[in-house]
Amino acid sequence: MYKLALSVRRGEPGTEIRDEWLWGSATETVWEFRSDRPLPGTRALLPLLQLDYAPPTDLCGTVSAGHPHRLPVTVRQQPGLPAPRGARITVDVSFDEGLSWRAARINGTGREVVATIAAGGAPGGTVSLRVRARDTAGNAIEQTVLRAYGLR
């Protein structure tokens, strides 16, 4: 079993770079995966699960603070690898940039689910996400996106 971690931050508060990146300003992704050594002279794709989100934001990247909303989440493999089997997905949400988290209700099973994000936060605030997925082969991903999108 291997573990790979990636942390990305876009600028510090009050800097020009931070002002350009209102949403998704920091991500932490940790993959766990199994991999065999490829045959000599060959390459092997690593089974790093990927997450796709489709929040119902407006053109400014915001949703209404006063209403729950649905967040479709899909787990997939890199192109060239078979789709993950038996995926289990959980979603946690934070309205205080990761200081506290609460579980979202999940509808559906497998590679595509819809999380119901309860009404929370205040206009001008943000929604942060922490999503975990694992397939039956033991491959897993945990991804935290601070300031994933805003509230209006």
Side-chain angles (χ1 to χ4, degrees):
M1 179 68 74
Y2 293 93
K3 187 179 248 184
L4 173 65
L6 175 66
S7 178
V8 177
R9 300 213 184 279
R10 294 183 176 98
E12 295 299 321
T15 67
E16 182 179 324
I17 293 173
R18 172 70 176 236
D19 294 339
E20 289 178 16
W21 289 96
L22 293 177
W23 315 130
S25 58
T27 62
E28 305 273 338
T29 307
V30 177
W31 292 272
E32 292 181 14
F33 60 98
R34 298 182 189 285
S35 180
D36 294 326
R37 182 182 296 268
L39 297 172
T42 65
R43 297 173 125 177
L45 294 173
L46 297 176
L48 302 177
L49 296 178
Q50 308 295 305
L51 295 168
D52 296 322
Y53 311 102
T57 60
D58 60 17
L59 294 176
C60 295
T62 63
V63 299
S64 176
H67 303 284
H69 62 277
R70 295 165 53 90
L71 174 70
V73 178
T74 303
V75 63
R76 61 180 172 81
Q77 284 283 16
Q78 300 180 70
L81 290 174
R85 299 173 66 103
R88 288 178 291 151
I89 302 171
T90 63
V91 176
D92 296 322
V93 63
S94 173
F95 296 105
D96 56 13
E97 297 191 19
L99 295 176
S100 62
W101 296 93
R102 62 177 126 165
R105 191 177 81 238
I106 300 294
N107 296 309
T109 59
R111 295 187 319 252
E112 298 179 14
V113 300
V114 176
T116 299
I117 308 298
T126 64
V127 177
S128 296
L129 301 171
R130 182 173 57 202
V131 179
R132 295 178 182 99
R134 180 174 295 278
D135 67 12
T136 56
N139 302 309
I141 184 172
E142 179 176 328
Q143 186 170 68
T144 302
V145 182
L146 296 182
R147 302 175 53 88
Y149 48 96
L151 296 168
R152 64 175 181 284

